[in-house]
Amino acid sequence: AFFRRGGIMLGDSTTADFPATVPVASLVYSETDRVKGNPIESLADGGDTIAQQKTLWQSNNQRKSVAWVTIQVGLNNMNPASSSTAATIAEYQDLVDTIRADNATCKIIGLTMTPAYENWTDIGWTPAGAQARWVALNDAIMGRGASPITGLDASVESHTLALSMDVSGNAALAVAYQNGDHIHTNTAGRTINAAAIRTALVSLGLV
């Protein structure tokens, strides 16, 4: 019963524990929120794809009783040489549908992926193709484009916009928020990310 006031966060290394910073989950609640006893369990894991986070969700014992779930995953699905954009969006939709099937009453919050344009070159992915997929999935999460994600109770992109800088017309991670590379945010960036999550929770009456 205690956990029914809390939530689960799904994600990858941009929200999970990472060197020189802290997990986004640890920054979401204020001290006042914590006193109320609303727990957060982060299932975010570095390197995870959408499908891998679905597997972790399905194995979690609290999934049927939590009050909310955030989804911020997809960056590891952006390789244009792997699968397709349509298949990636379908995987995300399947994750949302799986969460809803497991928990009919929880609020599902979709957060867009953080900017990573300069990272595509760093890891050897075709920048134009990876960025096009990044834009398409983020648009789908926000209900835009040809294949909008359905079943979300809230969609959030304020953190992505705040963390972005323009590089040749593409959204890249701003230098001020980089944590040693072009994809992982530092604590200042993660604080922005966490604030966007808390704002969504407040708007849904969950804090």
Side-chain angles (χ1 to χ4, degrees):
F2 174 75
F3 206 79
R4 288 183 180 145
R5 297 194 299 272
I8 287 176
M9 293 177 60
L10 303 180
D12 49 37
S13 60
T14 60
T15 56
D17 196 12
F18 195 78
T21 186
V22 295
V24 170
S26 70
L27 300 169
V28 172
Y29 284 153
S30 67
E31 284 303 318
T32 302
D33 298 333
R34 292 189 183 95
V35 168
K36 294 177 183 178
N38 299 326
I40 298 176
E41 181 177 4
S42 176
L43 303 184
D45 197 18
D48 267 12
T49 61
I50 296 166
Q52 288 170 319
Q53 280 290 287
K54 175 186 171 182
T55 297
L56 286 181
W57 164 263
Q58 291 178 307
S59 65
N60 187 274
N61 292 329
Q62 303 290 350
R63 70 187 188 283
K64 296 185 178 182
S65 60
V66 292
W68 56 266
V69 181
T70 61
I71 307 171
Q72 188 176 331
V73 66
L75 285 169
N76 294 303
N77 294 82
M78 295 297 103
N79 185 356
S82 175
S83 187
S84 68
T85 296
T88 300
I89 293 173
E91 281 190 59
Y92 193 103
Q93 183 66 66
D94 179 59
L95 174 58
V96 174
D97 294 344
T98 298
I99 294 169
R100 179 56 68 220
D102 284 339
N103 189 324
T105 60
C106 73
K107 301 298 184 182
I108 306 174
I109 303 167
L111 293 108
T112 52
M113 297 170 289
T114 48
Y117 176 68
E118 292 178 305
N119 183 68
W120 311 141
T121 299
D122 294 343
I123 60 177
W125 293 356
T126 305
Q131 192 69 7
R133 186 175 297 184
W134 181 87
V135 170
L137 180 55
N138 276 354
D139 278 348
I141 292 167
M142 293 307 299
R144 302 187 293 256
S147 302
I149 300 298
T150 60
L152 295 173
D153 295 288
S155 299
V156 181
E157 67 177 347
S158 59
H159 60 298
T160 300
L161 299 175
L163 296 170
S164 295
M165 69 174 181
D166 183 88
V167 174
S168 303
N170 298 283
L173 182 58
V175 174
Y177 301 121
Q178 292 177 11
N179 184 22
D181 58 24
H182 295 125
I183 188 169
H184 297 101
T185 48
N186 57 20
T187 301
R190 286 169 178 242
T191 300
I192 290 171
N193 202 151
I197 293 171
R198 188 180 186 280
T199 296
L201 295 175
V202 169
S203 72
L204 292 170
L206 295 166
V207 175

